């Protein structure tokens, strides 16, 4: 048998005595109440009501067969058919010869004959029956994960409920542990190493759970579940997770932990672990923090996110999405010149108003919906470039954002080629922005796709440069055409020497790669002057303009290239 719930034995279990005769109830109560919490019912109907009420705490039912209203056999049938009650052992109280066998056949666990046996015998038998039934619940559903030897999730939930039932006064924590980007470890280092990582994490989970009177399970792939005594701090677990993977690609292993503290046992297990998972998910891509506790704001965010996911299709159908354009100015001329732009999506939600892409881009990435949206942006943008080219005779290349998921689409190159062709553009008029972290994640596939694009004449802008964790060595070999410096560098550039030096280094890298730099997030004249001095070629930021609706951006083009018409 599996680890026994030793602490359960110390606790009083609850049993229900169903007998219509007062004297029998009193007698059994005498015998049993020292060892058990005893509940009483006078007939089958009342018994059912009590069972529904105490479904989670009942360890056994002692049932008299001969009763008015609803007799014991009828009740026994009902109990055995009801999934909620089926696991509860029923011990039949009878004085009729022959009724014993019949009731065993109907699913009774045991019988006690009247007049009653010696009290110790009854108590011992009852305890034995309860123990057996608990073992059976365990064994029937004992499924262990083959790789790690931990419990499977379904069994784990059942076990956790049992712990609640007997230990309702303990405050428990539901914990979800997950490895950020585990599939990459498998891809980069192979399955075998991936398995070793999972086993190591399983050991850490199991040990930590046991030390805190809890249990651990493995869910799908790299998700682990712990149910244990409440901890004010998870520092100790954090330490072990940080130091536990030596020799196993540890620099790529970023484990996150979500905790839901469940003071009340009213919540279902599923609910509690959903909340722990929510907390865990908030740590995606966060390399600073390992542990997050669930709070109400997460709940609200999750509900909001769910709404957005639900609304996206309708949003696309009803054209609630709109492209804004933010100009990029060339600042190395006599005066700044509008040369290019970036297309940025906006969602005019009928209920929430203008929703920022920050609220939905990562969400849609996770749900695989991002591609729909990106395709829409690409084709709309190509349409606008075409329109402005026709109308004003100027070509303003516009960059669109390419999500990491788009890279896996085998048809991405032909799709974009077709767009360009259909709109009579040349490939270098629709730039593609790819974020640095996408390069870091999946170098081979990405470089393959990027090379194909560049061979066909498309230009690649490396987005958010410096925000990620790429090594300089890797960056020096990237096939790119424009480097977009992340806006975080703008914060300190006018304030401290170190930030200025960072910007300088980025300019040198660009120089080495022989590509121009676009500085993002430029908001002040001082930043602008400094960047100009440092030789930065393009600026995109509020200093010149916020992202604009197409009509306003069009006015900017007219203003900028007015001389062509005067
Ligand atoms: P990003 O690609 O880095 O885009 C630049 C973001 O910086 C934009 O935010 C822009 O409005 C903002 N920004 C520009 N100048 C300044 C400035 O001077 N100061 C400050 N504080 N911010 C400035 P936005 O439009 O909210 O977009 C956020 C992110 O959402 C984008 O970051 C991009 O990663 C993503 N995104 C936007 N549109 C799309 C899209 O069509 N497809 C995909 N896949 N992602 C998109
Ligand atoms: Ca971008
Ligand atoms: Ca950017």
């Amino acid at each position: 048998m599996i680890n026994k719930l030793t602490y359960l034995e110390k606790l009083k279990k609850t049993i229900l005595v169903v007998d219509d005769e007062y004297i029998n109830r009193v007698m059994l109560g005498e015998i049993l109440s020292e060892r058990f919490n005893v509940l009483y019912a006078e007939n089958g109907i009342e018994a059912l009501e009590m069972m529904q009420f105490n479904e989670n705490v009942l360890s056994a039912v002692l049932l008299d067969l001969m009763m008015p209203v609803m007799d014991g056999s009828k009740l026994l049938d009902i109990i055995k058919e009801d999934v909620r009650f089926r696991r509860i052992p029923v011990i039949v109280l009878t004085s009729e010869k022959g009724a014993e066998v019949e009731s065993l056949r109907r699913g009774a666990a045991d019988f006690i004959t009247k007049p009653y046996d010696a009290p110790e015998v009854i108590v011992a038998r009852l305890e034995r029956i309860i123990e057996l039934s608990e073992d059976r619940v365990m064994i029937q559903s004992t499924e262990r994960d083959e790789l790690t030897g931990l419990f499977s999730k379904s069994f784990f939930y059942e076990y956790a409920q049992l712990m609640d039932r007997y230990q309702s006064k303990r405050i428990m924590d539901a914990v979800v542990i997950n490895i950020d980007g585990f599939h990459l470890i498998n891809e980069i280092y192979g399955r075998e190493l991936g398995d070793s990582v999972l086993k190591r994490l399983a050991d850490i989970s199991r040990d930590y759970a046991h030390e805190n009177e809890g249990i651990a399970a493995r869910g799908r792939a790299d998700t682990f579940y712990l149910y244990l005594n409440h901890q004010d701090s998870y520092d100790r677990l954090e330490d072990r997770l940080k130091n536990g993977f030596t020799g196993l690609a540890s620099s790529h292993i970023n484990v996150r932990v979500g905790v839901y503290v469940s003071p009340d046992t009213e919540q279902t297990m599923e609910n509690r672990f959903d909340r722990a998972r929510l907390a865990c998910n908030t740590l995606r891509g966060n390399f600073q923090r390992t542990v997050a506790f669930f709070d109400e704001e997460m709940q609200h965010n999750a509900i909001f996110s769910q709404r957005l996911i639900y609304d996206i299709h309708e949003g696309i159908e009803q054209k609630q999405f709109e492209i804004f354009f933010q100009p990029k100015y060339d600042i190395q001329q006599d005066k700044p010149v509008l040369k290019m732009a970036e297309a940025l999506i906006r969602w005019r939600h009928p209920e929430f108003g203008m929703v920022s892409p920050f609220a939905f881009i990562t969400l849609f990435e996770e749900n695989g919906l991002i591609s729909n949206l990106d395709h829409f942006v690409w084709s709309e943008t190509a349409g606008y470039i075409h329109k402005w080219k026709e109308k004003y005779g100027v070509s303003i290349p516009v960059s669109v954002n390419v999500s990491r998921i788009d890279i896996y689409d085998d048809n991405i190159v032909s799709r974009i080629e077709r767009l360009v062709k259909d709109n009579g553009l040349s490939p270098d008029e629709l730039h593609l922005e790819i974020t640095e972290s996408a390069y870091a994640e999946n170098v081979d596939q990405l470089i393959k796709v990027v090379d194909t694009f560049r061979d066909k004449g498309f230009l690649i802008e490396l987005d958010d440069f410096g925000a990620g964790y790429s090594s300089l060595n890797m960056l020096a070999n990237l096939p790119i055409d424009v480097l977009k410096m992340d806006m975080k560098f703008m914060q300190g550039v006018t304030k401290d020497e170190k930030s200025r030096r960072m910007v300088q280094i980025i300019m040198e890298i660009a120089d080495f790669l022989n590509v121009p730099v676009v500085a993002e997030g430029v908001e002040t004249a001082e930043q602008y002057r400094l960047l100009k001095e440092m030789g930065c070629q393009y600026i995109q930021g509020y200093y010149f303009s916020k992202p604009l609706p197409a009509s306003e951006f069009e006015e900017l083009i007219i203003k900028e290239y007015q001389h062509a018409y005067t």
Side-chain angles (χ1 to χ4, degrees), residues 429-470:
E429 290 175 302
L430 184 71
H431 293 194
L432 306 172
E433 288 198 15
I434 300 175
T435 178
E436 180 199 315
S437 54
Y439 275 86
E441 258 178 27
N442 185 10
V443 188
D444 295 343
Q445 171 75 5
L446 197 114
I447 297 214
K448 210 175 81 195
V449 174
V450 161
D451 278 341
T452 318
F453 270 121
R454 295 181 83 230
D455 285 347
K456 294 179 183 291
F458 287 92
L459 300 183
I460 307 295
E461 301 195 16
L462 180 59
D463 202 1
D464 309 322
F465 182 86
Y469 290 79
S470 328

Side-chain angles (χ1 to χ4, degrees), residues 342 401 433 463-465 484-487 520:
E342 174 175 6
N401 289 285
E433 288 198 15
D463 202 1
D464 309 322
F465 182 86
K484 295 192 78 178
M485 178 161 56
D486 192 71
M487 56 182 119
E520 278 195 287

Side-chain angles (χ1 to χ4, degrees), residues 5 33 52 67 80 182 200 203 219-220 283 296 304 320 341 358 385 426 439 455 502 514 538 541:
L5 299 169
S33 56
Q52 270 159 16
M67 288 184 302
K80 289 300 146 190
F182 178 71
R200 191 74 64 80
D203 289 342
R220 269 196 309 181
L283 296 172
E296 290 303 316
F304 181 59
Q320 292 163 7
F358 285 118
I385 304 174
S426 68
Y439 275 86
D455 285 347
M502 279 308 294
N514 201 18
Y538 298 102

Side-chain angles (χ1 to χ4, degrees), residues 326 342 345-346 357 374 401 403 463-464 487 523 542 547:
Q326 187 174 34
E342 174 175 6
I345 186 93
R346 294 289 179 269
D374 282 342
N401 289 285
S403 305
D463 202 1
D464 309 322
M487 56 182 119
E523 296 181 354
Y542 296 171

Side-chain angles (χ1 to χ4, degrees), residues 304 308 345-348 352-361:
F304 181 59
L308 294 185
I345 186 93
R346 294 289 179 269
W347 186 352
R348 269 187 219 280
F352 307 128
M354 198 68 99
V355 183
S356 152
F358 285 118
F360 59 86
I361 294 289

